[in-house]
């Protein structure tokens, strides 16, 4: 059988595959499944050509395998192939006539989850008629929504299946454009019941559809122009729709409820939905909710407290317009009863200062005065963030999988430290623990896309496992089989010209970028230490999360090297210096003076700030240069002038890059652009290259940014500049890769917890305006913590934001929403800092920009809270801006006129 199948496949005899399969029994077909899978793998291999690629197999061969798979396999083995077999409808029908699998009906019903299928609604009806499929309503609704034609061919299409379409529309392709006019026509002709369809449209608001589908139903409802009597009849569905998570549905329903505000609207039921509506984060929903409430008060007599209690929730929002509108409705229609006063008291602290006078009869207590908080002192190395230390070989084996799961975390450092200490402490019993770790390493490295640090770590584990296999062949007999399978996959991939080798001796592993070369050099160094049984500790492994080395530990480790008269690896020591926490070095200075001598002592006394300038013998220029950059990147030490690093652009050493926000008039897609200049630099061959050189050479490489942050926590400017250059030049970038990279970078900056340099302020000020809400929230968290610890330069941060918004780099609303929801009224200290921040932003402004009024309203609020006055230089700008009609009122408030 196998030979015959191979013959049909090799000679591409498509016409013979069905007769061949017909002759086989059910059991015989089952026995062919492994062979079919193997043949499928063989013909699916990719062949690269100069300009494209294709599979080994021809179209005929793929067709043969598709037919054989369908006939011989069960549903699990066949998988979810909703495309290939069904491209040839005639061929599919032939197979189904004589050999419809018992799983076919379930298989077709599950196609609602598929992104694409090669069969449609009409095919399903034909298969149903012949008894091949028992269609579920979900199947019929899903496929009908992609088939807006020949609706009169089957009577059940409009009488039954159309209503399935309303309940179970397609998830992947919501609605074809033909449906909209078609439904209107069918309703007008009476072929679709109007009242029922209107009801289904409203029910769609709470059916957990995606926003495109929900929006389609809302648009369909509005397009049919329901009359007031129809709206009254559908009132229960309209009110229920107010609980929808889709703002389009809520806004559409509120628009229609306004039309019946003076009629028999069920105000008591509405009052139950109002609190959620008026506390919504979507401004249009809140405005519409207030507008509906006002119309009901205008047109209908009712108990004012019923809706008045719900109205108080509008003060959850710190938007001046919303609060003012809500206050005016309360003032006009609702008497100041005890119940209303009680309801408003819950939001008293949130009511804006310029709104409070409107509600003086309703607010009993005074606004709670915020206390000033004592400045926090952040220490980079404490007992709380001290990382665990592995105690044995067994600990190492249990910990290595964690390091493989997250190679850019401090888990990798803990694992490498354990490797050096315990790699040779293994016996015939404990060695068995390597097998699951080895298997995970092989599975991880066998993936197409693997983070480079994972490639190195996994390769380190695999090479270590193979060395143990030679010593313990009986205990580790499975390792050879695991490795050979991985190696075969690697060998097959090496045929691709752009493939970087991942498996083999450490020096053979590919390194595409200079940054990768630095990590590879360290990995080779570690690999050699393991092979030689060298347990002298690595210097660069962190002692405190996320990326810090205790200065005391650095002294203690260097003492070991000194006593053994062994010179550290130059990259190992540089990385250790770069990661050293320099906020509290007094104990380390004493220890260095007592324990170290010669260049080690001179180097660390300079590095820890005991010596203001470098003194002693400079035998290792890279050590001294790294110490100088890390300690004080903005300082140029004349003692280092002869080291030979003059060819490295100054920006890479100082972290001070030139940037500006520019009006890009020629480019309508990027009208305003953040332009940062990063010099070009190619890695130079030298005896002792600086660690930083590897990371600034090759500008397009971004995948190592997380590692770059953890390698240079004292001087993250180069990492931030790269992210700004490639991911933040425009405020509207929506690509997932860039979003994730910016988010990861902002979270890393939050974890580093150091005062920001110029690039830090540029990065933070820019992500304050980012289109992603989570990124903006992270920016606010960084600001809050830095203000609490008195290490935020609000004038510089405000200058950055102001220069961006002067040209409207991003909508000002992003900034004002962030200020109102995350930064305002946190503490007295934060309000003072926020006032300084906004003052600095406004000082950069020229002509009024869109939504400047909103920023001035926040400024007015924070000044009122601080009981202060507008900045002297801002007053000059306010006098100019008050000539603008939309800004006149708020400017006069700030000028106290």
């Amino acid at each position: 059988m196998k030979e015959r199948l191979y013959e049909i496949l090799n000679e591409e005899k498509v016409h013979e595959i069905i007769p061949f399969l017909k002759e086989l029994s059910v059991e015989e077909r089952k026995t062919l499944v492994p062979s079919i899978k193997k043949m499928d793998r063989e013909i699916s291999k990719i062949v690269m050509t100069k300009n494209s690629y294709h599979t080994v197999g021809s179209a005929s061969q793929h067709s043969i395998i598709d037919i054989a798979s369908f006939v011989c396999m069960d549903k699990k083995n066949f998988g979810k192939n909703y495309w290939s077999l069904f491209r040839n409808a005639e061929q599919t029908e032939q197979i189904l006539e004589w050999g419809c699998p018992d799983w076919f009906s379930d298989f077709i019903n599950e196609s609602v989850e598929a992104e694409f299928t090669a069969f449609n609604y009409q095919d399903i009806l034909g298969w149903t008629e012949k008894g091949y499929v028992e269609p579920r309503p979900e199947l019929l609704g899903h496929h009908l929504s992609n088939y807006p034609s020949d609706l009169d061919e089957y009577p059940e299409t409009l009488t039954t299946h159309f209503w399935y379409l309303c309940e179970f529309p397609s998830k992947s392709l919501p609605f074809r454009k033909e449906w909209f006019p078609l439904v209107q026509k069918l309703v007008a002709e009476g072929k679709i019941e109007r009242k029922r369809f209107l009801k289904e449209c409203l029910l769609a608001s709470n059916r957990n559809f995606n926003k495109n589908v929900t929006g389609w139903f809302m648009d369909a409802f509005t397009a049919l122009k329901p009359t007031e009597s129809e709206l009254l009849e559908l009132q229960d569905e309209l009110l229920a729709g107010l609980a929808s998570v889709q703002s389009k549905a809520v806004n559409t329903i509120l628009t229609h409820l306004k039309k019946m505000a003076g009629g028999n609207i069920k105000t008591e039921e509405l009052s139950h939905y109002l609190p959620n509506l008026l506390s919504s984060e979507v401004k249009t929903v809140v405005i519409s909710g207030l507008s509906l409430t006002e119309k009901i008060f205008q047109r209908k007599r009712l108990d004012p407290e019923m809706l008045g209690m719900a109205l108080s929730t509008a003060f959850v929002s710190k938007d001046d317009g919303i609060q003012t509108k809500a206050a005016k409705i309360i003032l006009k229609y609702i008497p100041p009863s005890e119940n209303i006063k009680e309801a408003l008291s819950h939001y008293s602290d949130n009511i804006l200062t310029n709104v409070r006078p409107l509600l003086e009869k309703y607010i009993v207590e005074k606004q709670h005065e915020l206390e000033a908080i004592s400045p926090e002192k952040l220490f980079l190395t404490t007992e709380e963030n001290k990382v665990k230390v592995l105690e044995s070989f067994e600990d190492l084996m249990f910990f290595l999988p964690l390091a493989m799961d997250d190679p850019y975390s401090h888990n990798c450092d803990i694992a490498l430290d354990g490797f050096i200490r315990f790699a040779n402490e293994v016996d015939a019993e404990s060695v068995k623990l390597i097998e699951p770790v080895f298997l995970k390493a092989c599975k991880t490295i066998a993936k197409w896309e693997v983070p480079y640090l994972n490639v190195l770590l996994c390769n380190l584990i695999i090479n270590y496992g193979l060395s143990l296999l030679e010593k313990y062949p009986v205990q580790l007999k499975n390792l050879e089989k695991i490795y050979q399978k991985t190696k075969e996959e690697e060998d097959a991939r090496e045929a691709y010209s752009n493939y970087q080798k991942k498996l083999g001796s450490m020096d053979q592993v590919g390194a595409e970028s200079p940054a990768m070369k630095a990590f590879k050099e360290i990995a080779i160094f570690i690999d050699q230490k393991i092979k030689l049984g060298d347990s002298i500790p690595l210097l660069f492994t962190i002692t405190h999360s996320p990326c810090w080395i205790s200065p005391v530990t650095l002294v203690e480790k260097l003492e070991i090297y000194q006593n053994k008269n062994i010179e550290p690896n130059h990259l190992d020591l540089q990385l250790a210096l770069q990661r050293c926490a320099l906020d509290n070095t007094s104990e380390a200075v004493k220890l260095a003076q007592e324990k170290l001598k010669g260049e080690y002592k001179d180097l660390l006394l300079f590095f820890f700030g005991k010596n203001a300038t470098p003194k002693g013998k400079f035998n290792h220029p890279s050590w001294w240069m790294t110490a100088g950059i890390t300690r004080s990147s903005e300082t140029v030490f004349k003692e280092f002038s002869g080291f030979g690093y003059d060819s490295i652009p100054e920006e890479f050493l100082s972290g001070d890059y030139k940037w500006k926000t520019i009006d890009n008039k020629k480019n309508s897609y990027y009208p305003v652009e953040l332009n940062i200049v990063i010099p070009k630099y190619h890695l130079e061959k030298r005896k002792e290259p600086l660690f930083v050189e590897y990371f600034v050479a090759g500008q397009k490489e971004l995948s190592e940014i997380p590692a770059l942050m953890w390698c240079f926590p004292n001087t993250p400017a180069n990492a931030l500049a790269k992210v700004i250059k490639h991911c933040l030049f425009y405020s509207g970038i929506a690509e997932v890769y860039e979003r994730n990279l910016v988010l990861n970078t902002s979270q890393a900056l939050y974890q580093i917890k150091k005062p920001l340099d110029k690039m830090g302020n540029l990065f933070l000020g820019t992500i304050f305006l980012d289109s992603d809400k989570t990124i903006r929230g992270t920016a606010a968290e960084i600001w809050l913590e830095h203000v609490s610890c008195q290490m935020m330069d609000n004038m510089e941060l405000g200058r950055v934001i102001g220069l961006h918004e002067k040209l409207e780099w991003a909508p000002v609303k992003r900034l004002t929403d962030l200020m109102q929801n995350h930064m305002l009224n946190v503490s007295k200290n934060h309000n003072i800092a926020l006032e300084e921040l906004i003052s600095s932003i406004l000082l950069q402004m020229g002509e009024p920009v869109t939504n400047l009024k909103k920023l001035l309203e926040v400024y007015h609020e924070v000044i009122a809270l601080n009981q202060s006055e507008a900045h002297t230089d801002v007053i000059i700008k306010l006098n100019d801006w008050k000539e603008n009609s939309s800004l006149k009122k708020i400017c006069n408030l700030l000028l106290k006129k």
Side-chain angles (χ1 to χ4, degrees):
M1 288 188 299
K2 293 177 189 176
E3 291 75 13
R4 176 64 179 138
L5 182 57
Y6 265 113
E7 182 188 328
I8 293 170
L9 182 70
N10 291 333
E11 296 180 15
E12 302 185 23
K13 298 177 178 177
V14 182
H15 62 284
E16 291 187 14
I17 185 64
I18 293 177
F20 164 67
L21 294 171
K22 275 185 177 181
E23 295 171 359
L24 304 179
S25 66
V26 174
E27 286 304 314
E28 285 173 328
R29 289 176 199 159
K30 282 182 183 178
T31 59
L32 275 179
V33 170
S35 299
I36 295 169
K37 286 183 175 180
K38 186 179 179 183
M39 293 176 202
D40 189 28
R41 285 195 299 271
E42 287 173 0
I43 67 170
S44 297
K45 286 179 180 176
I46 303 294
V47 175
M48 302 292 293
T49 60
K50 188 174 182 180
N51 298 316
S52 65
Y53 62 91
H54 58 83
T55 60
V56 170
S58 65
S60 296
Q61 287 177 319
H62 281 290
S63 182
I64 290 166
I65 291 300
D66 289 339
I67 295 167
S69 300
F70 182 72
V71 172
C72 299
M73 292 180 181
D74 56 18
K75 184 159 73 81
K76 182 181 177 182
N77 279 304
F78 189 69
K80 294 183 177 180
N81 187 349
Y82 296 109
W83 184 257
S84 57
L85 178 75
F86 301 95
R87 282 176 296 192
N88 188 328
E90 187 180 333
Q91 179 181 276
T92 305
E93 285 299 322
Q94 285 178 22
I95 299 167
L96 289 173
E97 280 175 16
W98 65 267
C100 178
D102 55 8
W103 48 265
F104 184 68
S105 182
D106 289 338
F107 173 77
I108 297 299
N109 273 305
E110 288 169 10
S111 69
V112 293
E113 303 295 335
E115 194 168 346
F116 298 107
T117 62
F119 51 88
N120 58 28
Y121 171 75
Q122 202 167 29
D123 293 323
I124 292 166
L125 292 186
W127 293 334
T128 302
E129 195 176 332
K130 293 175 181 176
Y132 302 147
V133 175
E134 292 179 16
R136 292 199 289 264
E138 294 95 315
L139 179 74
L140 293 164
H142 173 92
H143 283 280
L144 177 57
S145 61
N146 294 326
Y147 191 79
S149 57
D150 303 327
L151 301 181
D152 292 325
E153 188 174 339
Y154 299 90
E156 63 268 33
T157 297
L158 291 178
T159 57
T160 307
H161 299 171
F162 177 78
W163 305 110
Y164 294 157
L165 176 150
C166 295
E167 195 172 348
F168 308 105
S170 169
K171 295 173 187 175
S172 59
L173 192 65
F175 282 90
R176 295 187 183 276
K177 62 182 179 181
E178 299 94 330
W179 269 114
F180 210 80
L182 187 57
V183 167
Q184 289 177 287
K185 177 174 175 287
L186 292 168
V187 168
E189 292 172 353
K191 292 181 179 179
I192 290 177
E193 186 188 339
R194 176 182 170 86
K195 181 183 171 183
R196 185 178 176 185
F197 182 66
L198 287 171
K199 185 176 181 179
E200 289 293 337
C201 287
L202 294 175
L203 291 174
S205 62
N206 284 313
R207 279 182 168 154
N208 202 28
F209 296 154
N210 68 46
K211 69 177 184 180
N212 293 330
V213 175
T214 306
W216 188 92
F217 280 110
M218 293 304 110
D219 290 340
F221 184 83
T222 301
L224 289 174
K225 299 177 181 176
T227 62
E228 191 169 334
S229 62
E230 285 176 323
L231 291 172
L232 282 168
E233 239 182 302
L234 293 166
Q235 191 171 175
D236 289 340
E237 286 76 23
L238 283 163
L239 291 171
L242 293 175
S244 175
V245 296
Q246 304 280 4
S247 59
K248 171 74 180 275
V250 176
N251 276 324
T252 301
I253 289 167
L254 284 169
T255 300
H256 290 292
L257 284 172
K258 285 178 198 173
K259 296 174 185 175
M260 47 192 285
N264 295 320
I265 190 167
K266 298 177 180 177
T267 50
E268 187 173 346
E269 285 85 342
L270 175 64
S271 67
H272 297 310
Y273 291 100
L274 269 181
N276 277 339
L277 290 175
L278 299 181
S279 59
S280 170
E281 290 185 6
V282 183
K283 187 176 178 179
T284 54
V285 168
V286 181
I287 295 291
S288 292
L290 288 171
S291 179
L292 172 62
T293 309
E294 188 174 26
K295 279 187 180 295
I296 292 171
F297 276 124
Q298 287 170 349
R299 300 179 185 178
K300 192 172 181 179
R301 287 190 174 186
L302 71 160
D303 175 9
E305 283 197 357
M306 189 188 300
L307 296 182
M309 301 282 282
L311 265 177
S312 63
T313 56
F315 294 99
V316 165
S317 168
K318 289 182 180 177
D319 182 277
D320 183 82
I322 288 172
Q323 287 205 11
T324 301
K325 188 173 179 68
K328 286 179 177 177
I329 295 172
I330 290 171
L331 199 61
K332 188 171 182 179
Y333 298 106
I334 304 167
S337 68
E338 289 303 313
N339 286 337
I340 292 297
K341 288 179 181 179
E342 170 68 21
L344 283 171
S345 70
H346 297 300
Y347 305 96
S348 178
D349 289 343
N350 224 41
I351 298 174
L352 300 173
T353 49
N354 63 313
V355 177
R356 296 183 79 82
L358 294 173
L359 297 170
E360 59 183 347
K361 295 179 183 177
Y362 299 81
I363 304 173
V364 179
E365 73 280 6
K366 290 183 178 180
Q367 189 173 13
H368 174 66
E369 190 170 331
L370 291 171
E371 294 181 3
I373 59 172
S374 301
E376 298 176 33
K377 175 63 178 171
L378 271 182
F379 289 101
L380 301 176
T381 55
T382 65
E383 280 300 315
E384 285 72 31
N385 69 328
K386 196 171 184 179
V387 300
K388 67 180 287 183
V389 177
L390 303 183
E391 301 292 342
S392 64
F393 177 82
E394 287 77 9
D395 280 359
L396 174 62
M397 290 301 107
F398 287 121
F399 199 81
L400 281 171
L402 295 177
M404 284 187 272
D405 286 337
D406 192 3
Y408 289 107
S409 74
H410 62 261
N411 290 340
C412 195
D413 287 69
I414 295 170
L416 292 175
D417 177 63
F419 238 133
I420 297 300
R421 291 166 58 212
F422 303 118
N424 293 291
E425 293 186 14
V426 60
D427 55 36
E429 188 58 37
S430 63
V431 76
K432 296 173 186 174
L433 295 171
I434 189 69
E435 185 173 323
V437 180
F438 187 89
L439 177 61
K440 183 178 178 67
C442 285
K443 283 186 174 179
T444 302
I445 209 169
K447 296 173 184 174
W448 270 99
E449 297 292 332
V450 189
Y452 192 67
L453 287 190
N454 234 351
V455 171
L456 297 175
L457 178 61
C458 291
N459 212 19
L460 204 63
I461 294 167
I462 291 167
N463 287 331
Y464 175 64
L466 294 175
S467 69
L468 290 180
L469 175 61
E470 292 178 10
K471 297 177 186 175
Y472 302 97
V474 176
Q475 293 89 336
L476 302 179
K477 59 184 178 182
N478 291 334
L479 263 58
E480 180 65 32
K481 185 179 177 183
I482 296 167
Y483 178 71
Q484 283 306 320
K485 184 182 177 184
T486 309
K487 192 172 184 307
E488 284 172 16
E489 292 178 4
E490 170 86 354
D491 291 343
R493 289 174 184 173
E494 284 183 18
Y496 302 115
S497 58
N498 61 343
Y499 184 75
Q500 292 287 321
K501 188 173 178 63
K502 293 187 289 188
L503 199 63
S505 63
M506 198 61 73
D507 58 345
Q508 292 178 334
V509 175
E512 200 171 0
S513 69
M516 292 177 177
K517 288 175 184 174
F519 289 129
K520 178 181 171 179
E521 188 172 330
I522 290 175
I524 292 171
F525 166 62
I526 294 170
D527 190 44
Q528 288 170 345
K529 281 177 73 71
I530 294 170
K531 287 175 180 174
L532 294 170
D534 177 3
S535 59
I536 297 175
L538 295 166
L539 296 171
F540 74 80
T541 53
I542 68 164
T543 59
H544 293 74
S545 67
C547 54
W548 297 111
I549 292 174
S550 158
V552 169
T553 302
L554 180 58
V555 175
E556 290 170 344
K557 286 184 177 181
L558 281 177
E559 186 189 6
I560 296 171
Y561 279 82
Q562 174 183 274
N563 294 343
K564 289 184 178 288
N565 198 26
I566 294 174
E567 186 173 293
N569 174 280
H570 75 108
L571 289 183
D572 186 16
L573 180 53
Q574 285 186 64
L575 184 49
L577 291 170
Q578 289 163 188
R579 287 176 161 182
C580 191
L582 297 174
D583 59 323
N584 185 12
T585 58
S586 54
E587 187 182 346
V589 167
K590 288 179 187 175
L591 198 62
Q593 287 173 323
E594 291 172 14
K595 303 287 186 182
L596 299 181
K597 53 192 175 186
E599 191 175 17
Y600 290 134
K601 182 177 180 179
D602 295 335
L603 175 73
L604 290 195
L605 290 181
F606 163 67
F607 183 53
F608 294 149
K610 177 68 176 173
N611 295 339
T613 57
K615 298 172 184 175
K617 290 185 178 179
F618 306 140
N619 296 327
H620 297 85
S622 65
W623 299 1
W624 288 92
M625 197 75 181
T626 300
I629 296 166
T630 306
R631 193 192 91 165
S632 181
S633 60
E634 69 281 359
T635 306
V636 177
F637 296 98
K638 65 179 188 300
E639 292 85 351
F640 299 164
S641 59
F643 284 177
Y645 297 115
D646 300 342
S647 59
I648 303 172
E650 186 184 330
E651 289 89 336
F652 299 142
L653 305 180
S654 67
D656 188 4
Y657 291 80
K658 294 180 178 65
W659 68 274
K660 59 183 176 179
T661 314
I662 57 173
D663 189 348
N664 207 357
K665 292 174 182 174
K666 293 179 183 178
N667 191 333
S668 58
Y669 193 74
Y670 301 131
V672 182
E673 193 172 333
L674 168 53
N675 187 280
I676 184 168
V677 180
I678 300 181
K680 289 184 178 179
Y681 180 69
H682 298 288
L683 196 62
E684 289 191 15
K685 285 188 177 180
R686 60 174 99 239
K687 185 182 177 184
E688 285 196 8
L690 297 182
F691 200 91
V692 70
E693 289 184 76
Y694 290 95
F695 288 87
V696 295
Q699 299 305 320
K700 292 184 179 178
E701 183 52 57
L702 293 176
S703 61
E704 266 63 54
I705 290 291
L708 184 54
M709 293 293 284
W710 300 141
C711 288
F712 300 88
N714 284 296
T715 53
N718 293 319
L720 299 178
K722 275 195 175 188
V723 176
I724 293 165
K725 173 81 173 176
H726 297 286
C727 305
L728 290 171
F729 61 91
Y730 174 58
S731 72
I733 289 177
E735 282 80 359
V736 174
Y737 176 76
E738 280 79 2
R739 296 293 90 223
N740 287 340
L741 193 56
V742 173
L743 179 59
N744 291 338
T745 306
S746 57
Q747 288 171 340
L749 191 63
Y750 174 69
Q751 292 177 67
I752 287 173
K753 301 185 188 303
K754 278 179 64 72
L756 303 178
D757 58 11
K758 289 181 180 178
M759 278 302 100
N761 279 303
L762 175 59
F763 179 81
L764 182 62
T766 304
I767 64 171
F768 257 93
L769 305 168
D770 198 272
S771 59
D772 186 279
K773 193 175 180 181
T774 307
I775 292 171
R776 292 201 305 275
T778 306
E781 289 299 320
I782 294 171
W783 183 84
L784 291 169
E785 184 172 76
H786 278 60
V787 169
S788 296
C789 300
Q790 290 190 333
M791 55 182 190
M792 188 77 249
D793 185 347
N794 286 294
M795 290 304 291
E796 175 60 19
L797 181 65
R799 188 181 78 86
V800 169
I801 297 171
L803 289 172
H804 286 345
E805 292 308 84
K806 181 180 181 179
L807 297 177
E808 298 191 62
W809 184 77
V812 173
K813 186 178 184 298
R814 291 180 189 168
L815 177 65
T816 53
D817 284 354
L818 192 68
M819 288 175 170
Q820 288 180 318
N821 297 325
H822 294 278
M823 299 162 69
L824 185 65
N825 261 357
V826 175
S827 76
K828 196 170 184 177
N829 311 50
H830 288 88
N831 280 350
I832 292 168
L834 185 57
E835 180 183 338
E836 187 180 14
L837 177 66
I838 300 174
S839 294
S840 181
I841 293 170
L842 294 173
L843 287 173
Q844 309 306 316
M845 296 287 188
E847 290 298 311
V849 298
T850 307
N851 261 333
L852 177 60
K853 178 186 174 186
K854 184 71 186 168
L855 183 60
L856 292 173
E857 285 171 354
V858 180
Y859 188 46
H860 177 261
E861 176 67 14
V862 76
I863 278 176
L865 290 167
N866 293 337
Q867 297 179 349
S868 59
E869 294 183 356
H871 188 283
T872 311
D873 293 332
V874 172
I875 289 174
I876 298 170
K877 292 184 175 291
L878 292 171
N879 279 311
D880 290 336
W881 291 337
K882 72 180 182 181
E883 301 304 318
N884 184 301
S885 58
S886 66
L887 299 178
K888 184 176 181 179
K889 181 183 174 184
I890 185 61
C891 285
N892 283 331
L893 278 171
L894 284 161
L895 293 166
K896 299 190 175 176
K897 290 183 178 178

